[in-house]
Amino acid sequence: MINTLVAVVMAMSTVALPAADSPPPGAVTVEVVTVNGSGCRPGTAAVAPSPDNATLHVLYSDYLAAVGAGTRPTDYRKNCQLNLRVNVPQDFTFAIGQIDYRGFAHLERGATGTQRGTYYFAGMPQVTNKSHTWQGPLDDNWQATDTIDTPFYRPCGVPGNLNINTELRVSVGTSDPKTTSYMAMDSTDAYFATVYHLVWKRCP
């Protein structure tokens, strides 16, 4: 999965973000320290930086929440918590400037689906937490973008891990309980990768 993700990352373009320093020329590597949650069982989440150090891409292969016929009571909510050690070139630090989420949803009329995302650096008080909700009927790809107006940087010289928490939640609402509604952030197509756009700053 990692090799597939890296190949697609190389072909994907970046977006304009708040004024900052250019990405560092050296290598950026990411180590997945821990993976927890019902939406990312071991082996179903992959992380890779882009070759230009402008983005981090997270790809899930088994991340789906569902309600209605054929589902279990616990299926309505899925979550994933990733703890990442991001190793950056000396004299640089980074922040998250924008996050692009993608997936597919089938929501019956009256059902709703919600995507929530949180990120923070270990040991720092700042936390970004945003959510998006869709109403049924819907049977299509979905996309959501969180823009961080004032990005907060990892302190220079401090190797604080990046924590990424995501959640999918589906509610039956007024839909027919004999039908099934679901929302997914999983795909074998890396187009659906969650993209974290990085903002770089040179340390003093």
Side-chain angles (χ1 to χ4, degrees), residues 10-193:
M10 293 179 66
M12 296 181 72
S13 61
T14 58
V15 300
L17 292 173
D21 292 330
S22 299
V28 171
T29 61
V30 181
E31 302 172 48
V32 180
V33 179
T34 59
V35 179
N36 292 295
S38 54
C40 55
R41 295 177 296 103
T44 65
V47 183
S50 61
D52 61 1
N53 295 338
T55 55
L56 292 179
H57 295 239
V58 181
L59 182 64
Y60 306 97
S61 61
D62 188 20
Y63 198 165
L64 182 146
V67 293
T71 66
R72 298 169 298 181
T74 56
D75 288 342
Y76 81 99
R77 177 185 177 274
K78 298 292 182 178
N79 75 299
C80 181
Q81 302 180 24
L82 300 177
N83 181 272
L84 308 177
R85 181 179 294 118
V86 184
N87 304 302
V88 306
Q90 189 175 10
D91 300 330
F92 278 88
T93 188
F94 71 96
I96 305 297
Q98 178 176 303
I99 309 166
D100 298 326
Y101 301 96
R102 296 181 178 89
F104 186 87
H106 174 82
L107 301 174
E108 295 289 333
R109 184 178 300 277
T112 60
T114 298
Q115 176 271 325
R116 182 184 301 275
T118 303
Y119 89 89
Y120 61 94
F121 291 110
M124 294 184 63
Q126 297 95 332
V127 176
T128 294
N129 190 336
K130 296 189 177 184
S131 63
H132 306 269
T133 298
W134 290 261
Q135 304 284 340
L138 175 65
D139 187 39
D140 203 352
N141 296 330
W142 61 266
Q143 181 171 344
T145 295
D146 292 341
T147 300
I148 314 303
D149 296 328
T150 306
F152 53 91
Y153 291 84
R154 187 174 73 177
C156 288
V158 178
N161 287 359
L162 175 62
N163 291 278
I164 293 173
N165 300 332
T166 55
E167 176 185 326
L168 295 177
R169 186 186 298 260
V170 181
S171 172
V172 67
T174 60
S175 65
D176 185 345
K178 296 180 181 179
T179 62
T180 303
S181 294
Y182 65 86
M183 189 170 183
M185 198 154 52
D186 70 326
S187 177
T188 55
D189 181 353
Y191 168 79
F192 288 102

